[in-house]
Amino acid sequence: DQQVKQNSPSLSVQEGRISILNCDYTNSMFDYFLWYKKYPAEGPTFLISISSIKDKNEDGRFTVFLNKSAKHLSLHIVPSQPGDSAVYFCAARAGGTSYGKLTFGQGTILTVHP
Amino acid sequence: DGGITQSPKYLFRKEGQNVTLSCEQNLNHDAMYWYRQDPGQGLRLIYYSQIVNDFQKGDIAEGYSVSREKKESFPLTVTSAQKNPTAFYLCASSAFIHLNTEAFFGQGTRLTVV
């Protein structure tokens, strides 16, 4: 039972354009959502998060949008840079649980072309 | 520098042998976690520990064992009972449950059974 899904295995974008990565979830108990970036053979690094009481959170070029009614969140990267090329994981946490007890999506490989 | 150190980076094991993966953190985090990543899949939780001398099973604990004798250390043993041990293993840590923070990950250990 995949509670967090990233339905696009890969995304290719031109440098300077917007990258939009999508994530859907099914568990209504999730109240905190995170995006991690990962390079091959390395650990994930935290990018940005959003609490279920908000619908948008920005940090520089990264913005996460949350649509609770649709159980959908998205990560926007504007403008995209070649250094953004990596695997992006969406993760979710249920309320009242430990902060690292996360459920991850399958990941989306982002490639930004110069 | 504060962080999470996993060792070794690469590990080879013969079938039928137990092997222990090391994870040490100096972030003063109370909670620690072990995740497994397989190709094309997201991270899946193996075990987690919120305080010293206590730990809980995650989603895929069968064939694994852990200990938490010190706050800084959370070693994972992959036993011979684990049917498909070849994978990328990631250790993470996080602060108290009531602090709004994310989980930090180590650089991972790639285990290959030969």
Side-chain angles (χ1 to χ4, degrees):
Chain A
D1 176 26
Q2 191 81 25
Q3 297 186 59
V4 177
K5 293 183 182 178
Q6 293 176 255
N7 292 318
S8 298
S10 62
L11 176 67
S12 184
V13 171
Q14 206 68 29
E15 181 179 6
R17 308 294 288 266
I18 184 171
S19 296
I20 300 177
L21 296 95
N22 294 301
C23 179
D24 297 296
Y25 63 96
T26 58
N27 190 341
S28 300
M29 299 301 292
F30 290 147
D31 69 351
Y32 197 74
F33 304 89
L34 307 91
W35 285 93
Y36 281 86
K37 175 181 178 180
K38 186 181 180 301
Y39 294 111
E42 292 186 11
T45 55
F46 170 74
L47 267 180
I48 191 168
S49 61
I50 187 167
S51 165
S52 60
I53 63 174
K54 294 185 176 182
D55 54 19
K56 177 182 175 182
N57 189 27
E58 281 183 270
D59 184 2
R61 296 186 298 114
F62 302 92
T63 302
V64 56
F65 295 92
L66 175 63
N67 183 334
K68 282 180 60 179
S69 60
K71 291 190 173 67
H72 176 84
L73 65 154
S74 61
L75 174 68
H76 293 208
I77 305 173
V78 183
S80 301
Q81 300 173 355
D84 295 329
S85 297
V87 180
Y88 288 78
F89 287 100
C90 167
R93 185 177 69 224
T97 60
S98 187
Y99 273 85
K101 191 170 181 291
L102 304 170
T103 301
F104 283 83
Q106 309 96 304
T108 296
I109 302 170
L110 174 64
T111 303
V112 181
H113 298 283
Chain B
D1 285 358
I4 301 175
T5 302
Q6 289 187 241
S7 61
K9 191 167 178 67
Y10 299 95
L11 190 56
F12 295 88
R13 187 196 92 176
K14 292 182 179 179
E15 280 196 39
Q17 286 183 340
N18 292 356
V19 65
T20 297
L21 283 61
S22 170
C23 178
E24 304 276 334
Q25 57 99 358
N26 60 5
L27 299 167
N28 199 33
H29 285 165
D30 284 279
M32 297 185 73
Y33 316 81
W34 275 104
Y35 285 87
R36 167 183 171 140
Q37 185 190 13
D38 293 283
Q41 295 191 37
L43 283 66
R44 293 180 291 167
L45 183 64
I46 304 172
Y47 266 99
Y48 66 104
S49 167
Q50 300 194 77
I51 57 172
V52 174
N53 292 323
D54 185 54
F55 48 83
Q56 285 80 40
K57 293 182 179 180
D59 300 317
I60 53 166
E62 186 176 351
Y64 299 98
S65 67
V66 293
S67 63
R68 186 85 187 279
E69 297 176 1
K70 297 187 301 182
K71 185 176 182 178
E72 302 78 21
S73 179
F74 191 40
L76 173 75
T77 297
V78 184
T79 75
S80 56
Q82 168 50 231
K83 291 182 174 59
N84 296 297
T86 294
F88 190 52
Y89 290 87
L90 288 156
C91 179
S93 70
S94 70
F96 282 107
I97 189 171
H98 295 297
L99 290 176
N100 194 13
T101 184
E102 72 277 8
F104 293 85
F105 283 83
Q107 292 299 293
T109 293
R110 180 162 299 281
L111 173 64
T112 304
V113 174
V114 296

